[in-house]
Amino acid sequence: VVIPEYVFIAFQMTFAAITVSLVVGGLVERMKFAGLMVFALIWLTIVYFPIAHMVWAGNGLLFNWQPAALDFAGGTVVHINAGISALVGAIIIGPRLGYKKEIMAPHSLVMTLIGTGLLWVGWFGFNAGSALEANGSAALAMINTFVATAAGVLFWMLTERMLGHKGSMLGACSGAIAGLVAVTPAAGNSGPFGAILLGAIAAIICAYFVVAVKPKLSLDDSLDAFGIHGIGGIVGSIGTAFTMLPGLGGPGAADYALGPQLVTQVVAVLISVAWAGVGSAIAFSIAKATVGLRVSEEVEREGLDLGEHGERAYNY
């Protein structure tokens, strides 16, 4: 199927845009807008584009690995890349004022739910669209995007209960994202049963980190970009080797070799983690040296809407 070049450019632009936006999730409420713009320009150039080329280009390092790394729609390119970069940024910038001392709950769970729904709808475009034509592969990616996400919702809330908390709307939304993240590299490389397992496992691991581990750390990953996208992307990318198994309903051939593929997936994860970690540190450092990264304490207390942009989100 011949795809017009401009259409393919526009499709790939959305991947680049969403990935750098995901990094912001770990840094909100304390980073300068100018610093973010400088970071984004440098980060896209030295981190995102090289990893995208390694994984998806016909002459890319991981695309030509034997066996080739499996990443249908961006487990390494988008989620590990963004999650690790957000982690590095959160460490460099430091926690928000009052972190662990003041309640920092979402200001509107209604908007959180609306955003999750919009994200889920858009994810069908990413995953099914990555087949690059309306065929059986796109259909498989679409059903997997349904079931893995549903499993993520359920098992995140179950994990909350097991950890002594109530099953929450915020948890359900977080579980949906964890399921989506995990199934992204496996969307066309899994049967529905494998996608359900992958979504459930990712939700359990991500929920445990966010609910039980993160509160014990000094890490202020504001919107859990690392806790969900980074960790979920690692789980999904490595798990894709297993979802290919015919015994789990995967599309692997009868002689599919799990061992070599698993090694390749781990190598792809390690390369992505290292490249994103070093590259994002460089990008943050350049932004800090040129325009600065963190707003003043006064601006942080009054809110970045007013301090950085001169406007209020709500007028009532």
Side-chain angles (χ1 to χ4, degrees):
V1 175
V2 177
I3 300 174
E5 190 72 10
Y6 285 163
V7 173
F8 188 69
I9 288 172
F11 185 58
Q12 290 300 325
M13 282 171 61
T14 62
F15 278 91
I18 193 65
T19 306
V20 74
S21 298
L22 292 177
V23 178
V24 180
L27 316 169
V28 297
E29 298 185 341
R30 59 201 190 274
M31 187 173 183
K32 286 184 177 180
F33 184 69
L36 175 62
M37 293 297 98
V38 172
F39 164 80
L41 178 63
I42 298 169
W43 185 85
L44 285 168
T45 304
I46 69 173
V47 178
Y48 179 81
F49 296 143
I51 292 182
H53 184 275
M54 288 182 203
V55 176
W56 285 336
N59 60 344
L61 172 66
L62 295 171
F63 190 89
N64 283 303
W65 206 274
Q66 292 300 322
L70 298 172
D71 190 350
F72 193 78
T76 50
V77 178
V78 177
H79 300 293
I80 294 177
N81 207 354
I84 296 299
S85 298
L87 173 64
V88 171
I91 293 172
I92 291 176
I93 296 176
R96 290 167 287 178
L97 294 175
Y99 181 63
K100 288 189 175 182
K101 298 177 182 178
E102 302 172 9
I103 296 176
M104 296 182 174
H107 86 286
S108 173
L109 281 175
V110 173
M111 288 190 177
T112 300
L113 180 60
I114 293 171
T116 302
L118 291 171
L119 197 61
W120 195 347
V121 171
W123 223 292
F124 287 115
F126 277 122
N127 285 0
S130 291
L132 302 182
E133 58 181 289
N135 57 12
S137 180
L140 181 63
M142 178 167 282
I143 191 65
N144 286 341
T145 306
F146 268 117
V147 298
T149 312
V153 171
L154 176 61
F155 279 86
W156 187 293
M157 290 194 293
L158 288 173
T159 304
E160 285 182 311
R161 292 292 294 173
M162 291 176 63
L163 293 173
H165 302 274
K166 296 178 180 179
S168 65
M169 174 64 74
L170 181 61
C173 292
S174 300
I177 306 305
L180 286 166
V181 168
V183 81
T184 294
N189 303 313
S190 172
F193 180 68
I196 291 172
L197 287 177
L198 198 56
I201 292 170
I204 292 170
I205 294 174
C206 291
Y208 182 77
F209 177 84
V210 170
V211 176
V213 177
K214 179 185 165 185
K216 300 176 182 178
L217 306 175
S218 59
L219 171 68
D220 184 10
D221 176 10
S222 312
L223 306 180
D224 297 312
F226 171 71
I228 295 177
H229 293 277
I231 293 178
I234 291 171
V235 171
S237 295
I238 294 175
T240 299
F242 294 93
T243 62
M244 283 287 290
L245 287 168
L248 293 177
D255 60 350
Y256 171 71
L258 174 61
Q261 188 64 59
L262 182 59
V263 170
T264 294
Q265 297 304 111
V266 172
V267 168
V269 166
L270 293 176
I271 290 175
S272 299
V273 168
W275 194 284
V278 174
S280 60
I282 293 172
F284 279 116
S285 298
I286 294 174
K288 184 176 181 178
T290 52
V291 297
L293 284 179
R294 185 153 186 159
V295 298
S296 67
E297 182 175 333
E298 180 182 358
V299 170
E300 188 171 345
R301 290 191 183 283
E302 73 177 354
L304 274 64
D305 285 346
L306 189 60
E308 284 285 284
H309 304 288
E311 58 192 5
R312 294 183 184 277
Y314 305 97
N315 291 303
Y316 53 77

